[in-house]
Amino acid sequence: MSNYFHYRGDRLYAEQVPLADIAAQFDTPCYVYSRAALTDSLRQFTDALQGREHLICYAVKANSNLAILNVFARLGAGFDIVSGGELQRVLAAGGDARKVVFSGVGKSVAEMLLALDAGILCFNVESAAELERLNEVAGSMGKIAPVSLRVNPDVDAKTHPYISTGLKQNKFGVAYDEAIALYRKARDLPHLRLTGIDCHIGSQLTETSPFIAATEKILALVDTLAGEGIRLEHIDLGGGLGIRYHDETPPAIADYVAALLGALRGRSEKLILEPGRVLAGNAGVLLTRVEYLKHGEEKNFAIVDAAMNDLMRPALYDAFHEILPVCRQPSPQPSPACGGGSERERQSLLYEIVGPICETGDFIGHARNLAIAPQALLAVLSAGAYGMSMSSNYNTRPRAAEVVVDGNTVHLARERETVQQLYAGEKLI
Ligand SMILES: *Cc1c(COP(=O)(O)O)cnc(C)c1O
């Protein structure tokens, strides 16, 4: 657990605010983020990169709430986007288009027009066909598009297969052996300007060695290109640094950056990084309330009001999220934080923590030892990244509210959706 979510006595707090107060004011399920935690993680990068020309481009898809983007923008961060929609979010949140890199295998003409019009820092191009399309679109606007090629370094990130992106068989980037030929081609296209090279090998990496292996392969390409007179201004090593959800031991941000800087010794190119999860993941929790306890023959279930539509990671990747009671010692008197129930119900038991959705895959956690009563509040930890941003409206469930805690202040960062909003665009035939 991070320092920003902690117990005082038997109650769980976000910074200076009891989570029970947030549930009382904004209801559940509710995402709660700590501004100090967001700031702290970004500062760890900028501190470690002191004295080196760099840009941290926060990966917007990890958590794209405008309030979060604004916190990072105000600290000088850039942004890594994967859609035109994310670009519009960045601009709406006060982000600087000149600090935006645009990744993704399927950029549409409309997205290219939007990004060229905004004047982004760089397109991270992922195929020959995309190079040609970008050249045409830029030409039609009388513009020159800044380009980096996303190279697939063919290294094993040793992470979950769904979030491993740097192997030959993955759909991402241009093949390592074809990169030089593609750079030559790009050099000859009139409406492109080659500015950099990038890679992104996967997410939730808990070791430094795959990053270093990828960096070394990228640097070999940079040298070959320089030999041909193609001099790049920046090297973008992507994101992917993991966080601790359970018992993982990822390197600290400072150690990860130091390792990269070691591999980059003697190089003068600007370094770009695209961290997402490590900036936001442990800066947020999902607050949920126990609706029912159900004691089955083989298993005990705690049915909570958050579900796979709110937090998809357990259902999608069988991911582990720690789950803590907001009230550690439920007393016989019912209360809004601790719930209420018989002594038997308040016993510590192994629970399946499940949502109300009609899918057996709808679980938040398996076999958790908890002493909880019906109506008790639970905090699902490490939910700041790939939580709300992957949420859906499955089962016509309005999406959760989001709040940002800043010291003893709570800001509503997104109102809970209403059911009317969900079908506002639908028509009877
Ligand atoms: C998702 C993504 C990231 C961020 O990955 P994290 O694991 O959240 O750090 C960075 N760059 C690209 C291209 C991505 O697709």
Side-chain angles (χ1 to χ4, degrees), residues 56-124:
I56 299 299
C57 291
Y58 167 63
V60 172
K61 73 177 187 291
N63 186 328
S64 55
N65 185 288
L66 296 195
I68 306 281
L69 301 181
N70 177 256
V71 165
F72 289 139
R74 285 204 255 173
L75 293 166
F79 297 93
D80 170 47
I81 59 166
V82 291
S83 71
E86 286 190 351
L87 176 56
Q88 286 171 281
R89 281 185 174 276
V90 166
L91 299 177
D96 183 348
R98 292 165 305 174
K99 293 182 180 176
V100 168
V101 298
F102 192 170
S103 304
V105 290
K107 300 176 195 78
S108 68
V109 169
E111 288 175 322
M112 288 177 176
L113 288 168
L114 193 69
L116 283 164
D117 190 52
I120 66 166
L121 176 64
C122 190
F123 288 85
N124 290 348

Side-chain angles (χ1 to χ4, degrees), residues 57 59 61-62 80-82 103-104 124 126 150 165 172 198-200 202-205 238-242 274-278 385-386:
C57 291
K61 73 177 187 291
D80 170 47
I81 59 166
V82 291
S103 304
N124 290 348
E126 305 213 15
R150 174 168 175 182
T165 55
F172 299 98
D198 66 284
C199 69
H200 172 70
S203 197
Q204 183 56 15
L205 274 72
L241 182 59
E274 304 169 350
R277 188 187 311 271
V278 76
Y386 305 106

Side-chain angles (χ1 to χ4, degrees), residues 364-384:
I364 305 284
H366 289 308
R368 304 304 172 86
N369 210 334
L370 289 165
I372 43 175
Q375 307 304 309
L377 289 170
L378 298 175
V380 183
L381 302 193
S382 310

Side-chain angles (χ1 to χ4, degrees), residues 21 41 93 263 332 385 412:
D21 290 3
S41 57
L412 180 60

Side-chain angles (χ1 to χ4, degrees), residues 43-54 257 261:
R43 287 253 163 81
Q44 289 182 47
F45 274 97
T46 50
D47 287 353
L49 286 160
Q50 275 293 331
R52 159 123 209 161
E53 197 190 354
H54 72 271
V257 170
L261 291 179

